[in-house]
Amino acid sequence: MQHDMPQVEPMVDASVNAHAWNHIAAQDLGQNVGTVPEGIEWTCWPGRGPGSEFLGDLAGLRVAELGCGTGEHIAYAAAHGARLAVGVDVAEQRIAQARARFDHLPALLWRVGDAAQELAELPRLDVCFSIYGALWYADPTQLLPVIHNRLRPDGLLAFSVNGPRTGELSGRRVDNLTLDSGVRLPVVHYSYDADAWRHLLDEHGFTDSEVLAVQAPEASPYRTLVLRARRSGD
Ligand SMILES: C[S@@+](CC[C@H](N)C(=O)[O-])C[C@H]1O[C@@H](n2cnc3c(N)ncnc32)[C@H](O)[C@@H]1O
């Protein structure tokens, strides 16, 4: 796999994506009911892919979600006994929605900003996870070292991302999200297949990596990869 792609200033990606997701938040109103989901869905196809067991028992643990959106998954962690549950998102408006929904829960903290920058300020964590979040939208060669630094030895990293579609090049991509209004917003994401992810995780000090490939229900070019690995010991 190639790692000699041109270096892109990470804050450029973060501000492009913050613009898009703040716009989406402004259209995505009416989510202020604080119902915690019954489980964690790792794909956008309910019931497909693993569930909450993929993270294991969170009671007493320090947990962060990178790219938490409106917060339901990190709220699940808080509601299931996490000692600390931090939701990080680059879009201020998404965090405002998350606060409105879940601020009544114990142990929850919210951070607005790029995952790598915010994570660097957090205490040591037991679990770091992301569901179509920062591990998909930010350069993993910048983010994985920070996650490695913040996770305790043997701590768990779990995340889901879409893999490249057939024939699509891997690496940094810019796509357009089209809103119902017809407005098109650029988003930056990073796309790798299962082998490339295993290699990236290995290269950045993670062990025991597992990759589950979950196919979209209908004929669709999309495939979600659900991954988990442990931070190597010191
Ligand atoms: C597809 S949404 C997923 C939200 C949530 N995880 C869920 O499953 O509903 C992607 C989220 O990642 C956030 N995001 C994108 N780039 C980020 C970055 N560099 N740091 C933190 N959050 C980021 C976006 O603002 C957006 O809320």
Side-chain angles (χ1 to χ4, degrees):
M1 191 188 66
Q2 273 200 306
H3 284 298
D4 54 354
M5 61 181 152
Q7 276 290 303
V8 178
E9 179 55 54
M11 290 320 290
V12 172
D13 292 353
S15 60
V16 168
N17 289 337
H19 176 75
W21 290 100
N22 277 323
H23 225 289
I24 290 164
Q27 300 219 321
D28 198 13
L29 303 172
Q31 289 206 352
N32 52 0
V33 183
T35 310
V36 176
E38 283 177 17
I40 291 185
E41 295 277 359
W42 292 89
T43 76
C44 53
W45 311 301
R48 290 208 167 214
S52 314
E53 77 290 346
F54 202 64
L55 286 184
D57 183 5
L58 298 173
L61 302 186
R62 289 154 304 182
V63 182
E65 181 181 3
L66 308 179
C68 65
T70 51
E72 52 272 27
H73 297 115
I74 193 67
Y76 175 92
H80 286 78
R83 178 174 7 147
L84 173 68
V86 189
V88 180
D89 202 284
V90 75
E92 192 176 3
Q93 296 305 319
R94 300 277 278 180
I95 290 290
Q97 290 175 328
R99 279 186 191 282
R101 297 178 76 190
F102 298 117
D103 247 4
H104 60 285
L105 292 172
L108 258 180
L109 283 182
W110 305 104
R111 291 279 180 270
V112 177
D114 174 56
Q117 293 215 329
E118 296 303 317
L119 191 55
E121 308 291 321
L122 295 183
R124 273 280 169 114
L125 299 165
D126 302 291
V127 175
C128 199
F129 74 101
S130 177
I131 299 176
Y132 300 117
L135 266 302
W136 193 26
Y137 287 101
D139 183 349
T141 66
Q142 308 283 328
L143 184 50
L144 286 173
V146 186
I147 296 173
H148 187 271
N149 180 265
R150 285 297 80 211
L151 272 180
R152 68 161 166 78
D154 211 36
L156 179 69
L157 168 62
F159 58 101
S160 60
V161 293
N162 273 355
R165 285 167 285 187
T166 308
E168 196 174 72
L169 291 175
S170 65
R172 184 179 186 270
R173 304 190 55 77
V174 183
D175 283 341
N176 280 302
L177 286 180
T178 306
L179 305 186
D180 293 345
S181 60
V183 170
R184 284 158 68 84
L185 297 168
V187 289
V188 179
H189 65 88
Y190 287 77
S191 181
Y192 299 97
D193 66 16
D195 283 345
W197 270 115
R198 277 195 205 92
H199 188 81
L200 277 165
L201 289 166
D202 183 55
E203 204 174 46
H204 289 90
F206 292 87
T207 61
D208 304 331
S209 60
E210 294 168 59
V211 186
L212 310 175
V214 183
Q215 194 64 46
E218 300 98 30
S220 156
Y222 292 104
R223 202 165 65 132
T224 292
L225 303 177
V226 189
L227 302 99
R228 153 169 99 168
R230 297 260 164 205
R231 180 212 196 272
S232 54
D234 282 326

